[in-house]
Amino acid sequence: MLQVMTKKVLIVEDNELNMKLFRDLLEAHGYETYQTREGLKALDMAREHKPDLILMDIQLPEVSGLDVTKWIKNDDELSEIPVVAVTAFAMKGDEERIRQGGCEGYLSKPITVSTFIATVRSFLD
Amino acid sequence: MGQTLRLARYLDRIAGRAVHALWLGAVLAAGFQVLADRGVSPAALALFALAALPGLAGLQLASARALSRRASRFIMALAWVLPALAATAALGGPLTFAALVFLAGPAAMAASGRQGDAALSWTLNAIAFSGLAMLQLLGPAPDATILASGSVILALAGFLAVCGLVASARYAARLNAARTEVSRLRPAASAFLDAPGPLLAVDRDGVMTAASRAVHRLIPGVPRDLTGLPLEGLAFDDGDRLAIRDGLQSVDADAGVQGFDFAVRGNQGRARTVHAVQARSADGLVLSLVDGEAVTGQAQAAPESHAADHAEIERIRAERDEAIAASRAKSEFLAAVSHELRTPLNAIIGFSDVMKQRLFGPLPARYAEYGDLIHESGIHLLDLIGDVLDMSKIEADRYELVTDRFDARDVVETCAKMLRLRAEDQGLTLSTDAGSDALEVDADRKAVRQILLNLISNAVKFTPEGGAVAVMARAQGDELVLAVGDSGVGMGADELRALGGQYTQTRSSLTSDERGSGLGLSLVRSLAEMHGGRMTVQSVKGEGTTVTIRLPVLVDARGDVETFEPLAVHEQIRRAQSAGDVISQAANSGAA
């Protein structure tokens, strides 16, 4: 595996177990991960590490993942980074609402491993 | 009464002119006397010409009707003031005071439009002049000037007294006439004020002249006494002011009953829309008001019953709003709960999926099996949450039917195929009978499929090994009839009754294997009702259950109505069972 080619994924997720699941899955597939459980920190980390993809939980403490996505999309430096929402908001209309909020991708919880990896790959390969 | 009024008016007119004529006569008489005594001088001539001015002006104005009352009064006051000033300047002595006094009458007349006040001031004047004249006359050796002045004063006093009396008589007559008119109108007026509907009388200038008490019930917060206020003054904003102006004028433009809407400033300054229907009255308009928010056609038709029904409607509305709010709160709670359940489920399904896929290498067989079980249970839990979500969506009125045309027989076959494997695994036969003719319907395909899947999986779940499940679809009139029957555990009367409510599960009859969320059947009922249809459940404990759904969704209503009995499903089950390989004891007892 060519280390120089390693893609970086920032995970914004406030549930510890879900964070571990996403991290393990991504690292098993050769991605480098950065993690934060706070929306406010996500922006700083995105600036610092310049990830290739951001996985965004929507319901977060303090600020919503949609707010964070809006900040990212309004930031010239970060707006190019694709954001995939991974959320338990899985009711009718939620996907549309979240995509309109600026997220390029949408995955509903609970995830299936194959769809999760396929979606991540579609943005990184 | 009309005669008295006419007499008073006649006297008034005569007196009005007589005062001026007599004044003129008195001035001329005094003038001739003074000029004869003292000789003609330009100053004296000018003085007497000025003194004649009120008489001339008065006579002239009495015949000229073009001028308004106010203008006439102003000219008369001026005509009196000029000679009074001249007399003051020329004479001096007690007459200076007299000159001032004789300004008072006309001044009062000019200032007041009220006949009674004017009459009083004239009378007082007459008394004052008489007193002054007596002083003068009783004094030592009155000279010609004093005599002339005295005669003028006396004449004036007399005429003014007459004028005052006449004016009072006229005033009294008018007052009387007005009182009679009021007593005549009182019954009508109180009928107006106590009218059950909100009524407003408006004069030609748009000023309110009366308001029925119901107006205050319709628009709480408007001034208690509306009489004398312009209707426009109630307007909420400038737009409403215009609406009122146009509304009042529109009835003038073309006669007949019309209506217009405007918002008024009600309680706490809140806007309240009112619909007004105008009708002409003798001296303006009568407006019948209706609550603008409640105008839907029928409100206009029965303004009388409106006020009486209002409180009742308000009460029912409040109860309804409360029920809706409670239902919405429940649905939102369910939606929030399912969101919270999905979050840990993500870890359960996700990690067990990782194990299932051996993502990090091989797993001992037993652990692999446990991993699979965890994953399976997770998926089952997810299905239940899906039911909760669907249910809460329906209750929050967020579930929208998407209808299209399709053959219901296809859906029956698809659903049966999806569940046939599971049924066979449990040792059950699953048969379908959708008739030979196409069942074209205009319905939500997803909903119909959900109905059938829920009913069939319920039937499979509650039927012991060796039993049978039958699905039947028929057209009856304009209804698509779907029935799912089983030879399962069945339900007692109490359990059946409990199904009337939502979220009821007949737990008492279940073994630990026969799990159900109770949501499935509620969902079926809701989906059927959204199509305007209904659900019936027939069940015999120990024999089986048949659920029948009737949906008025057939594209072509069938003229020849086929008799359809849910129990026909049981007949089908009996046939299926006698043809089947495995006939259990339970099934036998159900068929007996």
Side-chain angles (χ1 to χ4, degrees):
Chain A
M1 191 172 285
L2 293 168
Q3 279 307 114
V4 277
M5 293 296 287
T6 303
K7 300 273 174 131
K8 295 175 282 186
V9 180
L10 170 62
I11 312 169
V12 187
E13 167 67 63
D14 70 326
N15 180 290
E16 232 170 283
L17 287 176
N18 289 333
M19 176 68 89
K20 182 174 164 53
L21 173 66
F22 299 151
R23 191 191 61 207
D24 288 358
L25 278 175
L26 290 170
E27 288 179 352
H29 286 82
Y31 300 110
E32 191 181 341
T33 62
Y34 302 95
Q35 303 124 36
T36 177
R37 58 189 309 276
E38 285 168 51
L40 290 168
K41 276 201 187 142
L43 212 60
D44 295 337
M45 291 186 75
R47 286 215 184 84
E48 190 186 337
H49 301 291
K50 294 278 160 21
D52 301 291
L53 177 70
I54 299 175
L55 297 183
M56 182 74 71
D57 190 10
I58 298 301
Q59 184 158 296
L60 295 169
E62 294 171 28
V63 293
S64 116
L66 279 182
D67 290 334
V68 181
T69 304
K70 199 158 69 184
W71 298 334
I72 291 170
K73 293 300 158 191
N74 286 335
D75 190 314
D76 292 341
E77 218 181 318
L78 307 174
S79 63
E80 293 299 312
I81 304 174
V83 176
V84 173
V86 187
T87 175
F89 285 116
M91 287 185 45
K92 191 179 169 191
D94 282 339
E95 177 172 356
E96 201 189 7
R97 178 172 62 92
I98 286 163
R99 283 186 186 273
Q100 273 175 0
C103 296
E104 281 87 353
Y106 168 88
L107 283 167
S108 68
K109 287 179 189 165
I111 58 147
T112 61
V113 172
S114 49
T115 321
F116 179 80
I117 292 302
T119 305
V120 170
R121 277 195 179 135
S122 73
F123 284 98
L124 293 182
D125 295 344
Chain B
M1 197 43 64
Q3 292 243 319
T4 320
L5 200 62
R6 225 171 295 139
L7 182 68
R9 209 174 289 155
Y10 181 69
L11 282 174
D12 185 44
R13 209 162 54 229
I14 299 286
R17 291 188 187 195
V19 168
H20 303 306
L22 286 169
W23 171 262
L24 259 184
V27 170
L28 285 176
F32 276 125
Q33 201 183 343
V34 170
L35 291 176
D37 283 357
R38 305 243 175 123
V40 181
S41 74
L45 273 176
L47 189 63
F48 280 102
L50 268 177
L53 197 60
L56 287 169
L59 283 176
Q60 184 59 33
L61 287 175
S63 53
R65 300 197 167 264
L67 286 172
S68 72
R69 268 165 182 265
R70 189 178 286 268
S72 305
R73 268 205 300 276
F74 179 72
I75 289 168
M76 280 312 292
L78 209 63
W80 282 108
V81 167
L82 285 174
L85 287 175
T88 311
L91 299 174
L95 279 178
T96 309
F97 178 63
L100 284 176
V101 170
F102 93 81
L103 289 175
M109 199 178 170
S112 156
R114 309 208 25 199
Q115 292 292 337
D117 292 352
L120 187 66
S121 90
W122 284 117
T123 312
L124 286 174
N125 262 358
I127 292 164
F129 268 88
S130 308
L132 282 168
M134 293 303 281
L135 276 176
Q136 294 261 303
L137 290 174
L138 291 175
D143 67 8
T145 312
I146 288 168
L147 277 177
S149 311
S151 62
V152 168
I153 288 162
L154 271 179
L156 186 66
F159 305 140
L160 293 184
V162 169
C163 180
L165 287 173
V166 169
S168 312
R170 191 182 66 163
Y171 182 67
R174 279 206 177 162
L175 195 65
N176 232 334
R179 279 202 185 118
T180 315
E181 189 72 357
V182 165
S183 63
R184 191 176 69 78
L185 291 175
R186 186 162 289 149
S190 76
F192 184 91
L193 293 181
D194 293 333
L199 297 175
L200 269 183
V202 179
D203 71 10
R204 291 199 167 81
D205 299 325
V207 173
M208 289 176 278
T209 52
S212 72
R213 286 182 243 282
V215 168
H216 291 89
R217 286 198 292 273
L218 176 67
I219 325 168
V222 296
R224 191 170 291 274
D225 187 11
L226 292 168
T227 312
L229 298 177
L231 182 59
E232 278 182 35
L234 297 181
F236 184 72
D237 60 23
D238 287 343
D240 298 311
R241 213 160 283 135
L242 272 179
I244 292 174
R245 208 171 297 165
D246 291 348
L248 292 179
Q249 277 165 5
S250 70
V251 84
D252 284 338
D254 43 327
V257 174
Q258 303 167 5
F260 62 100
D261 292 301
F262 60 95
V264 298
R265 197 176 289 275
N267 247 349
Q268 288 153 16
R270 275 198 295 257
R272 193 169 175 117
T273 309
V274 168
H275 179 78
V277 178
Q278 326 87 310
R280 281 178 190 286
S281 70
D283 48 6
L285 296 174
V286 172
L287 302 179
S288 171
L289 305 183
V290 178
D291 186 356
E293 279 114 53
V295 170
T296 48
Q298 110 287 2
Q300 288 187 50
E304 290 89 354
S305 61
H306 182 79
D309 292 345
H310 196 70
E312 180 68 5
I313 289 169
E314 276 301 309
R315 194 182 61 75
I316 292 168
R317 195 175 288 166
E319 279 178 11
R320 184 203 61 189
D321 289 349
E322 210 170 292
I324 288 173
S327 159
R328 185 155 300 160
K330 188 180 80 178
S331 300
E332 279 167 9
F333 172 73
L334 282 173
V337 163
S338 69
H339 176 271
E340 291 311 302
L341 291 175
R342 276 170 180 275
T343 301
L345 208 48
N346 186 56
I348 296 172
I349 293 178
F351 282 120
S352 56
D353 201 6
V354 170
M355 290 162 81
K356 218 177 151 185
Q357 300 200 9
R358 314 285 190 272
L359 212 64
F360 296 96
L363 207 62
R366 178 152 288 208
Y367 291 144
E369 187 197 345
Y370 295 165
D372 289 354
L373 288 175
I374 293 170
H375 189 258
E376 215 169 280
S377 301
I379 298 291
H380 178 64
L381 204 50
L382 182 60
D383 287 343
L384 293 182
I385 293 166
D387 281 354
V388 171
L389 264 178
D390 281 345
M391 206 55 229
S392 68
K393 268 191 285 187
I394 284 175
E395 288 194 0
D397 291 332
R398 281 194 289 239
Y399 192 101
E400 282 167 25
L401 288 185
V402 183
T403 61
D404 66 328
R405 291 190 175 195
F406 58 94
D407 191 338
R409 293 184 306 173
D410 296 342
V411 180
V412 171
E413 285 311 322
T414 313
C415 293
K417 198 182 289 173
M418 282 170 76
L419 291 161
R420 187 160 283 132
L421 260 181
R422 200 202 288 182
E424 283 169 3
D425 279 355
Q426 277 182 237
L428 304 174
T429 49
L430 172 59
S431 60
T432 59
D433 172 11
S436 49
D437 296 328
L439 292 170
E440 203 191 353
V441 295
D442 188 12
D444 185 324
R445 187 196 297 260
K446 210 179 134 212
V448 174
R449 192 171 57 203
Q450 185 82 48
I451 286 172
L452 282 169
L453 284 179
N454 281 20
L455 291 181
I456 298 170
S457 66
N458 257 0
V460 168
K461 202 180 294 173
F462 293 114
T463 305
E465 193 176 342
V469 173
V471 185
M472 203 170 184
R474 284 288 185 277
Q476 191 175 40
D478 65 339
E479 288 178 331
L480 168 69
V481 187
L482 300 170
V484 178
D486 63 59
S487 61
V489 293
M491 286 176 280
D494 289 350
E495 293 160 319
L496 263 182
R497 216 173 297 129
L499 272 178
Q502 293 187 323
Y503 301 133
T504 324
Q505 194 193 13
T506 58
R507 282 189 193 285
S508 56
S509 68
L510 305 184
T511 67
S512 56
D513 289 341
E514 295 160 340
R515 304 158 299 177
S517 67
L519 281 166
L521 215 51
S522 298
L523 187 62
V524 168
R525 184 207 306 275
S526 296
L527 290 171
E529 285 171 356
M530 286 178 77
H531 280 92
R534 59 194 194 280
M535 175 182 91
T536 49
V537 184
Q538 290 179 311
S539 186
V540 179
K541 195 153 183 115
E543 289 191 13
T545 304
T546 299
V547 182
T548 311
I549 302 294
R550 290 168 185 274
L551 304 175
V553 295
L554 276 191
V555 174
D556 298 311
R558 295 288 161 91
D560 52 329
V561 173
E562 189 179 342
T563 50
F564 180 86
E565 284 298 321
L567 290 179
V569 177
H570 279 104
E571 193 59 41
Q572 212 182 349
I573 290 169
R574 217 171 300 162
R575 279 202 304 274
Q577 281 171 340
S578 56
D581 299 326
V582 186
I583 302 170
S584 75
Q585 283 191 325
N588 272 334
S589 68

